[in-house]
Amino acid sequence: MNHLKDHDIICLALPSWEGEYLKATVALVRPLSEENRLLYVDYPRTWTDILKGCLGKIKVPFSRVFGLKNRVTRPDENNNLWLLTLPPVFPVRFLPKGRIYRWAQSLNALIIARTINKAKAELGMERPVVINAFQPGLGLAMMGRLDEQITAYYCYDNISAADWCSKHGPSDEHEYLPKVDFVITTSEALWEEKERRSLQCFLIQNGVDYPLFSKVKRSQHHRLAQTGFDAVLGYVGCIDTRIDWQLIKTIAQENQNWRIDMIGPVVYPEVQEQLSTCLNVRFLGSAKQSELPDLMSDFDLGIIPFVENPFTKFIYPMKVNEYLAAGLPVVMTPFAEISALKDAVTVAPADHRFIPAISQALASDNETEQNTRKVFAQQNSWDARSRQLSKILATHSDAYRAA
């Protein structure tokens, strides 16, 4: 068997299914439901999240969280795909390391396992394949509770450098990796680090919704007449601490004939504050995935101006293939070593060399180059990435059955 078929799959997901932007976990596992039955266990909301929801700070589906409506729903028309909303669990990240933390995680695991097993019974699921998305602490406490045949750990960030989970995450992950059947990483740097602790470690880099982003219609009209600028540089994604705002400010101030469009939620307000004096920088806010092709139609080039630090070193950004699928030239800082992109993008340091790199990329852009980028991106579609995962899952599942 070269791919997984007719299996029951449970994804213990940290990212929630719903939201304005696409999550890599959702995009990777969703295609598995075409030939398997998939139960996506949504983000485990804590009582802290419930309080924030009551105060109107975040959205919480209270009726499903408290079981007033069916916890198991269908997110779309796929008959093999279900979404499970969990009851509230206890916040544990603030707890000190040691016995109290482990006890609280075990209590949460009991609540979660009981809810999942009830859903399993309702759906007739047996001996599932479990995919744990970046929750090593919960994974440790959940081992064996779902009658799982194999467990895969999906690691997409450097847990040691992620502020929100750096207290317990590194030690939890260190203990968890040797206990899972295999590990999936999203970048070369993550693979190099995790394969030291796991007997089986695989690289599946982030993909792209190619049918969506290939719809971007780049204007054929004279750019100056259409926008008032010679070129429009675009960024799509969260506007957070990864952004090198000083670099963007330099680009904007030294090139008043360029406009820079920033699309995405402003998670780190200082970026917007620092760029507020630059009249040729626009913050367009969050956008639904389906809205991005229209918003990107003004782009002449995509930028990824990330700082270099222990967190970004392990990133394979989703936006790079989104830009390429639209046919856009891409200029990015050398925040991570990504050999697969060396012929598809321009990498330039965040100094006096970055602006000339943009100018060169704009000047050399043509229809042939645009088509080449699209072909490259199509090879990196989420369907292709999911097929990689399916083959790995099939190999391990068959090995289990033959044992």
Side-chain angles (χ1 to χ4, degrees), residues 26-41:
V26 173
L28 181 65
V29 303
R30 187 175 196 158
L32 296 175
S33 64
E34 293 176 4
E35 294 188 290
N36 302 276
R37 302 201 310 159
L38 172 63
L39 178 64
Y40 189 94
V41 182

Side-chain angles (χ1 to χ4, degrees), residues 264-317:
V266 179
V267 179
Y268 187 56
E270 184 179 350
V271 174
Q272 188 168 5
E273 292 168 4
Q274 292 291 344
L275 297 174
S276 61
T277 58
C278 299
L279 300 181
N280 55 336
V281 177
R282 302 197 309 170
F283 288 85
L284 303 182
S286 298
K288 294 180 180 178
Q289 192 82 351
S290 60
E291 298 171 340
L292 290 177
D294 285 340
L295 290 170
M296 292 172 64
S297 62
D298 277 348
F299 288 9
D300 294 295
L301 179 143
I303 57 172
I304 310 180
F306 285 174
V307 296
E308 297 178 53
N309 61 34
F311 185 78
T312 58
K313 176 184 176 181
F314 293 86
I315 288 177
Y316 182 102

Side-chain angles (χ1 to χ4, degrees), residues 52 138 140 165 192 216 227 243-244 252 259 274 311 363 398:
K52 289 181 179 179
L138 178 62
L140 283 169
C165 62
E192 290 175 0
V216 174
T227 68
I243 298 292
D244 188 342
R259 191 180 82 199
Q274 292 291 344
F311 185 78
D398 288 346

Side-chain angles (χ1 to χ4, degrees), residues 8 10 37 39 70 72 82 84 112-128 145-147:
D8 293 331
I10 294 177
R37 302 201 310 159
L39 178 64
N70 197 337
V72 180
W82 295 270
L84 176 61
I112 292 172
R114 182 179 297 171
T115 306
I116 294 175
N117 283 323
K118 182 180 179 181
K120 269 180 56 189
E122 292 175 359
L123 299 173
M125 286 187 162
E126 296 180 352
R127 302 291 288 160
R145 292 180 184 263
L146 302 178
D147 192 32

Side-chain angles (χ1 to χ4, degrees), residues 36-236:
N36 302 276
R37 302 201 310 159
L38 172 63
L39 178 64
Y40 189 94
V41 182
D42 213 19
Y43 164 69
R45 296 173 178 84
T46 68
W47 285 102
T48 302
D49 294 319
I50 300 302
L51 177 59
K52 289 181 179 179
C54 292
L55 296 174
K57 294 183 177 180
I58 61 174
K59 293 182 180 179
V60 174
F62 289 106
S63 58
R64 295 204 306 271
V65 168
F66 288 104
L68 302 177
K69 290 185 178 179
N70 197 337
R71 296 187 186 280
V72 180
T73 57
R74 292 188 184 276
D76 57 29
E77 297 178 355
N78 187 334
N79 290 327
N80 287 333
L81 173 63
W82 295 270
L83 174 65
L84 176 61
T85 302
L86 296 170
V89 295
F90 297 99
V92 298
R93 293 173 190 163
F94 71 96
L95 294 174
K97 291 183 178 182
R99 186 175 301 176
I100 296 177
Y101 170 72
R102 291 297 184 200
W103 177 84
Q105 278 285 31
S106 296
L107 181 59
N108 284 345
L110 178 64
I111 295 169
I112 292 172
R114 182 179 297 171
T115 306
I116 294 175
N117 283 323
K118 182 180 179 181
K120 269 180 56 189
E122 292 175 359
L123 299 173
M125 286 187 162
E126 296 180 352
R127 302 291 288 160
V129 170
V130 172
I131 301 172
N132 179 324
F134 209 58
Q135 299 186 89
L138 178 62
L140 283 169
M142 289 287 291
M143 294 290 286
R145 292 180 184 263
L146 302 178
D147 192 32
E148 61 270 22
Q149 56 172 290
I150 58 173
T151 299
Y153 176 54
Y154 182 45
C155 178
Y156 48 78
D157 274 327
N158 177 14
I159 204 164
S160 299
D163 293 339
W164 60 271
C165 62
S166 59
K167 186 174 186 177
H168 299 288
S171 57
D172 284 343
E173 189 179 79
H174 186 81
E175 184 180 351
Y176 188 52
L177 291 184
K179 296 184 178 182
V180 300
D181 293 277
F182 64 92
V183 177
I184 299 293
T185 61
T186 56
S187 71
E188 296 169 51
L190 280 174
W191 180 86
E192 290 175 0
E193 183 179 270
K194 306 310 174 188
E195 64 95 19
R196 302 169 191 162
R197 290 288 299 165
S198 174
L199 295 176
Q200 296 282 337
C201 190
F202 301 92
L203 174 63
I204 300 180
Q205 293 167 325
N206 287 327
V208 60
D209 184 343
Y210 182 80
L212 177 69
F213 286 93
S214 62
K215 292 179 181 177
V216 174
K217 302 296 183 184
R218 299 179 61 189
S219 175
Q220 301 301 313
H221 301 296
H222 188 269
R223 174 59 61 196
L224 183 62
Q226 186 181 17
T227 68
F229 294 88
D230 291 340
V232 177
L233 317 182
Y235 171 85
V236 177

